[in-house]
Amino acid sequence: QVQLVESGGDSVQAGGSLRLSCAASTNTFSSRCVGWFRQAPGKEREGLALIYIRDGGTSYADSVKGRFTISQDNAKNTVYLQMNSLKPEDTAMYYCAAGNTDILNPSFFGRWGQGTQVTVSS
């Protein structure tokens, strides 16, 4: 079963940028879509963006549209989340997940990584 490993989380100042990576342990994600999610303390897990593995189509939550960009490198079996103009409210644990759905809801994704922490200070 494919495993997902996130990396790239860090502590940054507001206005800064980070690029998160989600690497698959096999040569394929074995799923229709890969999504990025985040969860802040005391809050529900929130869907941010997803990418269709076959054709690279993307979809974004309104909260990050225009600031975050999801992309993939098929040769590296890796999906990225480029995050720009970061705000303190972006502070959260960020997760990637794979699923055979294009509904950006964590309940529909079955395979998850361990998460990577993003902290944005003002």
Side-chain angles (χ1 to χ4, degrees), residues 21-44:
S21 299
C22 173
S25 60
T26 65
N27 63 357
T28 175
F29 281 95
S30 299
S31 296
R32 183 182 180 194
C33 292
V34 171
W36 280 100
F37 302 80
R38 68 185 178 191
Q39 189 166 19
K43 295 189 177 181
E44 294 186 352

Side-chain angles (χ1 to χ4, degrees), residues 18-20 33-38 46-52 56-72 79-84 94 101-105 109:
L18 283 174
R19 189 178 77 161
L20 306 183
C33 292
V34 171
W36 280 100
F37 302 80
R38 68 185 178 191
E46 172 190 12
L48 303 175
L50 66 80
I51 189 165
Y52 294 80
T58 60
S59 178
Y60 295 92
D62 288 342
S63 60
V64 301
K65 199 173 293 183
R67 294 194 300 128
F68 291 8
T69 302
I70 190 170
S71 62
Q72 63 181 345
V79 170
Y80 302 100
L81 185 69
Q82 178 68 42
M83 306 188 296
N84 299 328
Y94 283 69
T101 178
D102 58 2
I103 300 173
L104 194 55
N105 183 311
F109 284 77

